[in-house]
């Protein structure tokens, strides 16, 4: 019978109307009909509650994702005096308590009101979790610790006393050699005499190829910061317009160059992989052997990221 009353009270809590009154205006007896039941609800309690937070973990980047949740303390009917609800957060997350941000330790329902101001729980700093390389799962709970009030007939509801969440961290994803084409973010410089140096697909500034009539040409790329690279890929209109031998260079300043090596090439799509990863800001591509007409339509780089 008691749970039946509580179901009715919870419906009234959400709908904002208590459908029952005391049997007598003179009856001061506190019973299940006139108690004020205190609960915790999400701020947007009409939407399904998200109980899982997911974190990604990537080598060189770290852990990304956040815990962000807003909730309120709610009374089943307006209270005649302020009610302060002490909030308790428990978790097995290996993070310091000062990194678990709670906007308030108390949810206060003001006299004459039915709900408190929203409280926000937030965790965004995962620096202490960085050494956990494997996938991991943790619990996070928010509960009412106690109620402080001089009001009569205030009690904790049997329902919605708190929230239980799961925080899942994915296993660390190692860096990989990824083929990157971001021409508008890089600075290309072309040898004097090439066709379409300012409006070409290589640098992303146009729809034309960079080409010459049988003259080996070079280009340089400024990545704007030091990158770890492991190879390149060039694309040409067709096999007959592609070079058959090229040399690659690196530089720290864009003027003094160090050779990576000379490479035999073929096909309209040419991939050159290095024996080891190289850190450089500048890269130079120099054609050596070319056909009667040679071009480049795309220049991509394998980067360790």
């Amino acid at each position: 019978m008691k749970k039946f009353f509580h179901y009715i009270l919870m419906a009234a809590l959400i709908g904002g109307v208590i459908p029952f009154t005391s049997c007598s205006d003179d009856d001061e007896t506190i019973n299940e009909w006139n108690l004020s039941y205190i609960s915790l609800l999400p701020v947007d309690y009409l939407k399904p509650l998200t109980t899982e937070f997911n974190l990604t973990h990537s080598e060189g980047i770290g852990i990304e994702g956040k815990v962000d949740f807003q909730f309120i303390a709610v009374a089943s009917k307006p209270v005649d005096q302020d009610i302060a609800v002490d909030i308790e957060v428990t978790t097995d997350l290996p993070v310091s308590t000062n990194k678990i941000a709670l906007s308030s330790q108390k949810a206060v329902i003001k006299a004459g009101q039915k709900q408190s101001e929203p409280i926000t729980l937030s965790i965004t700093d995962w620096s202490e979790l960085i050494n956990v390389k494997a996938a991991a799962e943790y619990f996070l709970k928010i509960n009412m610790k106690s109620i402080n009030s001089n009001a009569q007939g205030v009690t904790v509801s049997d329902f919605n006393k708190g929230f239980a969440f799961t925080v899942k961290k994915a296993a660390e994803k190692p860096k990989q050699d990824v083929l990157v084409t971001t021409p508008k973010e890089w600075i290309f410089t072309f040898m004097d005499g090439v066709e379409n140096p300012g409006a070409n697909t290589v640098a992303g500034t146009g729809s034309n190829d960079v080409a010459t009539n049988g003259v080996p040409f070079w280009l340089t790329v400024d990545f704007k910061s030091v990158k770890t690279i492991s190879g390149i890929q060039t694309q040409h209109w067709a096999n007959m317009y592609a070079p058959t031998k090229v040399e690659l260079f690196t530089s720290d300043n864009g003027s003094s160059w160090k050779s990576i090596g000379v490479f035999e090439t073929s096909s309209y799509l040419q991939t050159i992989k290095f024996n080891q990863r190289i850190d450089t800001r500048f890269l130079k591509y120099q054609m050596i052997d070319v056909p009667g007409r040679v071009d480049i339509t795309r220049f991509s780089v394998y980067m360790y990221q």
Side-chain angles (χ1 to χ4, degrees):
M1 188 65 175
K2 183 176 180 180
K3 291 191 178 296
F4 169 74
F5 290 134
H6 285 183
Y7 281 119
I8 294 174
L9 288 166
M10 282 304 302
L13 182 149
I14 295 175
V17 177
I18 301 292
F20 300 99
T21 60
S22 176
C23 295
S24 170
D25 293 340
D26 297 326
D27 187 358
E28 298 295 334
T29 303
I30 296 175
N31 54 47
E32 290 181 338
W33 301 106
N34 55 25
L35 283 174
S36 184
Y37 292 93
I38 308 301
S39 304
L40 293 182
L41 290 178
V43 166
D44 195 352
Y45 53 77
L46 296 179
K47 290 184 178 180
L49 176 63
T50 299
T51 59
E52 185 174 295
F53 297 97
N54 294 288
L55 310 176
T56 61
H57 192 176
S58 302
E59 182 185 2
I61 297 176
I63 298 174
E64 295 181 308
K66 64 180 180 179
V67 171
D68 189 21
F69 180 70
Q70 280 193 314
F71 61 96
I72 52 176
V74 180
S76 58
K77 64 179 183 179
V79 297
D80 56 9
Q81 296 186 45
D82 287 1
I83 297 175
V85 181
D86 292 317
I87 304 301
E88 181 180 50
V89 177
T90 56
T91 183
D92 61 347
L93 278 164
V95 298
S96 301
T97 54
N98 63 351
K99 290 182 173 60
I100 302 174
L102 197 63
S103 61
S104 177
Q105 299 291 331
K106 295 180 183 292
V108 179
I109 305 174
K110 296 290 187 180
Q113 302 296 316
K114 288 181 60 177
Q115 67 182 50
S116 69
E117 291 295 320
I119 293 178
T120 302
L121 172 71
S122 178
I123 310 175
T124 58
D125 185 345
W126 306 106
S127 55
E128 295 175 315
L129 204 59
I130 197 71
N131 291 324
V132 180
K133 307 297 185 182
E137 186 173 313
Y138 306 96
F139 75 83
L140 177 67
K141 295 180 179 179
I142 304 172
N143 290 298
M144 287 188 286
K145 185 177 181 181
S146 60
I147 295 177
N148 299 307
S149 176
N150 293 323
Q152 297 295 314
V154 176
T155 188
V156 176
S157 172
D158 286 345
F159 307 94
N160 301 303
K161 295 180 179 180
F163 312 95
F165 303 100
T166 300
V167 180
K168 292 184 176 180
K169 186 196 79 69
E172 183 183 48
K173 181 181 178 180
K175 284 185 175 181
Q176 297 178 343
D177 292 312
V178 179
L179 187 63
V180 179
T181 301
T182 53
K184 291 184 179 180
E185 296 179 14
W186 303 339
I187 300 173
F188 283 85
T189 302
F190 300 95
M191 185 184 81
D192 289 342
V194 300
E195 298 175 16
N196 308 313
N200 60 83
T201 57
V202 179
T205 54
S207 58
N208 300 311
D209 59 345
V210 179
T212 63
N213 286 319
V215 178
F217 67 88
W218 56 260
L219 63 85
T220 64
V221 189
D222 178 0
F223 300 122
K224 297 184 180 180
S225 63
V226 175
K227 303 294 184 182
T228 301
I229 64 175
S230 61
I232 69 164
Q233 185 180 90
T234 58
Q235 190 168 334
H236 311 266
W237 275 115
N239 294 356
M240 66 183 69
Y241 301 119
T244 55
K245 183 183 292 186
V246 300
E247 187 171 7
L248 297 174
F249 304 82
T250 62
S251 175
D252 295 328
N253 54 21
S255 58
S256 300
W257 298 94
K258 179 180 178 181
S259 178
I260 300 174
V262 175
F263 303 89
E264 304 285 342
T265 58
S266 62
S267 177
Y268 79 98
L269 187 64
Q270 300 185 351
T271 299
I272 299 172
K273 296 302 292 286
F274 307 151
N275 292 328
Q276 60 184 14
R277 298 184 180 100
I278 298 170
D279 294 329
T280 188
R281 171 170 170 171
F282 297 89
L283 182 68
K284 183 176 183 179
Y285 173 91
Q286 171 70 67
M287 295 180 180
I288 298 175
D289 292 338
V290 298
R293 181 169 175 82
V294 65
D295 75 351
I296 297 181
T297 60
R298 180 71 64 187
F299 191 92
S300 305
V301 179
Y302 285 94
M303 289 188 177
Y304 186 54
Q305 59 182 34

